[in-house]
Amino acid sequence: MAPQDAILGWDEDANAEAYDAFTRAHPMYDATSRDLARRANLADATLAVDLCGGAGASARAILDAIPAQARVISVDNAAAMQRVGRRTLTDHRLRRITAPAERAADHLPAGNADAVVCNSAIWKTDTAAVFAAVAHILRPGGRFVFNIGGGFAGVRHPDEQSVRTGPTLNALIRQTAVRDYGYTPPSTASDAPPKLPLETVTEQLGKAGLAVLEAEVTAQHSTMAEKKAWLSIPVFARPEGDFTHAQRMRILDTAYALTTPDAPSVTSWLVVVAQRPETA
């Protein structure tokens, strides 16, 4: 068992509780979930799949968008996240399946889903395998809607730069760790290609039999206070390296003290809408 001050993973109760609490106290996941649900065209859906659904932030938005008689199936590999979700989100239309996204097709009927939604998690998966699974699940004409963090996609919304009034909280965390703990940040090539650019996504979707309908770079606006709360979730805490979680929280508090709580913070996303063709 991991010690209490370890950085806990997605299948640890402490992290699942902290993550769910964040989604309820702050608008980021609710806003992105509602954006994806809107793009999925769920008004006439009978079945929607919440892929990598976690504790249910996206499921809440999907349930609000589908007809009263429709169903949602949430697929996630972390039982701890689903345990929290069962306690905090109860709806007879929602069913949960514990399985990796790559194996979703093993647990769901072929060609039945009107839409598959994946919020804030696709880059953590084997995307080629996930896209193939999604293509198997979707009905002809069904939509697959997901987002990719700007850093992974290699995109930046203009707002990310225009509203910045000083160093990012991540930059201040690194500076604090270097100054107070002798931290040596890992060297990364400034010209390293993004891990999941649109070109790669489009190619992998095409091989799976899915076509891109829309790709848009969006901006999620928040504050330094919300960013601090997000970085307090154990799995997101920084910096990486040989630190206890308690040390990371002390570094975070020191760095945050150098900011203004209501100072704007912007996160870029690449939002992709794909579709299984109506005919082969």
Side-chain angles (χ1 to χ4, degrees):
M1 179 179 294
Q4 289 298 313
D5 60 358
I7 295 182
L8 304 177
W10 289 109
D11 206 19
E12 294 284 348
D13 289 336
N15 190 76
E17 294 283 358
Y19 180 85
D20 183 65
F22 176 89
T23 67
R24 294 175 174 280
H26 300 280
M28 182 178 77
Y29 285 105
D30 181 67
T32 51
S33 294
R34 293 189 182 281
D35 176 57
L36 296 182
R38 175 183 62 80
R39 295 172 190 262
N41 286 355
L42 296 172
D44 297 318
T46 59
L47 174 63
V49 176
D50 180 17
L51 201 61
C52 304
S58 295
R60 287 194 292 269
I62 296 170
L63 287 164
D64 286 344
I66 60 174
Q69 71 276 12
R71 297 178 298 124
V72 177
I73 298 177
S74 180
V75 180
D76 197 278
N77 200 33
M81 296 287 280
Q82 292 185 327
R83 282 195 296 271
V84 171
R86 287 187 178 94
R87 190 184 72 244
T88 60
L89 176 61
T90 302
D91 192 299
H92 71 278
R93 299 173 296 165
L94 174 62
R95 173 190 171 202
R96 294 179 174 88
I97 294 174
T98 307
E102 294 85 350
R103 302 294 300 274
D106 296 345
H107 301 270
L108 296 169
N112 264 19
D114 298 287
V116 176
V117 174
C118 183
N119 188 6
S120 309
I122 199 69
W123 61 85
K124 302 171 187 175
T125 69
D126 177 345
T127 50
V130 169
F131 294 167
V134 169
H136 183 79
I137 293 166
L138 282 175
R139 65 164 175 80
R143 288 193 169 192
F144 178 31
V145 187
F146 59 96
N147 53 19
I148 305 170
F152 290 93
V155 298
R156 177 177 290 188
H157 193 278
D159 286 0
E160 189 173 344
Q161 188 63 37
S162 64
V163 305
R164 184 171 295 170
T165 58
T168 65
L169 189 52
N170 277 329
L172 292 170
I173 287 170
R174 287 192 297 271
Q175 292 172 17
T176 302
V178 169
R179 184 192 66 216
D180 296 348
Y181 290 85
Y183 174 63
T184 302
S187 59
T188 56
S190 59
D191 58 349
K195 295 180 179 179
L196 200 56
L198 180 59
E199 294 79 5
T200 299
V201 170
T202 301
E203 180 182 358
Q204 291 184 351
L205 287 169
K207 288 181 178 179
L210 301 170
V212 174
L213 297 182
E214 176 188 352
E216 180 184 358
V217 178
T218 66
Q220 177 64 34
H221 293 256
S222 61
T223 63
M224 283 290 182
E226 183 174 354
K227 184 71 172 178
K228 178 181 185 288
W230 187 75
L231 289 170
S232 298
I233 300 171
V235 77
F236 296 138
R238 299 290 184 270
E240 297 178 356
D242 190 18
F243 293 94
T244 65
H245 185 62
Q247 287 174 325
R248 288 185 171 90
M249 292 302 95
R250 288 195 291 272
I251 293 169
L252 175 60
D253 287 341
T254 301
Y256 180 66
L258 302 174
T259 73
T260 303
D262 59 356
S265 177
V266 176
T267 304
S268 297
W269 298 89
L270 175 64
V271 181
V272 179
V273 180
Q275 186 176 48
R276 180 181 170 187
E278 291 280 0
T279 57

